[in-house]
Amino acid sequence: MDDKRYCLSCNKKLEGRRDKKFCDPYCKSNYHYQKAQKGAGSFYARVDRQLKTNRRILKSFNKAGKATVRAEILLQQGFNPTFFSHYWKNKSGDIYLFVYEFGFLSKIENGKKKYILVKWQSYMENFK
């Protein structure tokens, strides 16, 4: 029985084990990379990408450790406040949402939505 098998990546004829699917590690890696690129992206990848975007934006606007920025400016940069890693509630009851070490609190001042940006501090360790 002549069972011809071909590499799933480059279509080269395979020799060796019957369950072999790729001719070499490069083809295996290339096949899985191309497959991932064609897919719509996993939920995890989309969430991770947005968290990284949010962190980058918060970091760029919060150089001194605390800042106030209009919400529209952050949103124009691609910031999405529904993606955060954890939260911290202060003694006043305000809930700061954090993207890793950078946090934000939504406030309305003079009829405009703003975010107060902070950086994680050691006294916040006992967050709830």
Side-chain angles (χ1 to χ4, degrees):
M1 184 165 124
D2 191 23
D3 187 22
K4 294 182 181 175
R5 296 167 292 115
Y6 298 92
C7 176
L8 295 178
S9 179
C10 69
N11 232 12
K12 182 178 168 185
K13 186 176 178 188
L14 295 175
E15 296 179 11
R17 294 187 353 230
R18 296 185 55 79
D19 61 345
K20 191 172 183 179
K21 296 179 183 180
F22 305 99
C23 58
D24 59 30
Y26 173 81
C27 278
K28 181 178 180 180
S29 177
N30 183 54
Y31 174 82
H32 290 293
Y33 176 78
Q34 294 299 328
K35 186 176 173 184
Q37 291 299 314
K38 290 178 186 175
S42 70
F43 176 74
Y44 169 80
R46 290 190 312 254
V47 169
D48 188 53
R49 192 170 30 256
Q50 186 61 56
L51 284 172
K52 288 177 181 176
T53 299
N54 283 358
R55 183 187 179 277
R56 179 183 47 79
I57 293 167
L58 291 173
K59 181 180 180 182
S60 71
F61 282 95
N62 189 4
K63 302 277 187 211
K66 186 171 183 182
T68 303
V69 181
R70 287 193 323 245
E72 64 188 55
I73 293 172
L74 294 181
L75 297 174
Q76 287 171 353
Q77 299 288 320
F79 181 75
N80 185 337
T82 61
F83 288 83
F84 56 93
S85 58
H86 61 287
Y87 69 93
W88 174 72
K89 188 176 183 179
N90 68 10
K91 291 178 183 175
S92 303
D94 296 324
I95 298 175
Y96 286 82
L97 303 177
F98 278 82
V99 181
Y100 307 113
E101 75 272 31
F102 296 100
F104 60 98
L105 172 68
S106 180
K107 287 281 187 184
I108 304 288
E109 291 181 3
N110 300 324
K112 296 194 185 267
K113 186 174 182 177
K114 297 181 179 184
Y115 288 115
I116 298 171
L117 308 182
V118 297
K119 193 167 180 186
W120 185 261
Q121 303 294 317
S122 60
Y123 68 85
M124 298 174 176
E125 285 298 321
N126 296 324
F127 67 92
K128 298 184 188 228

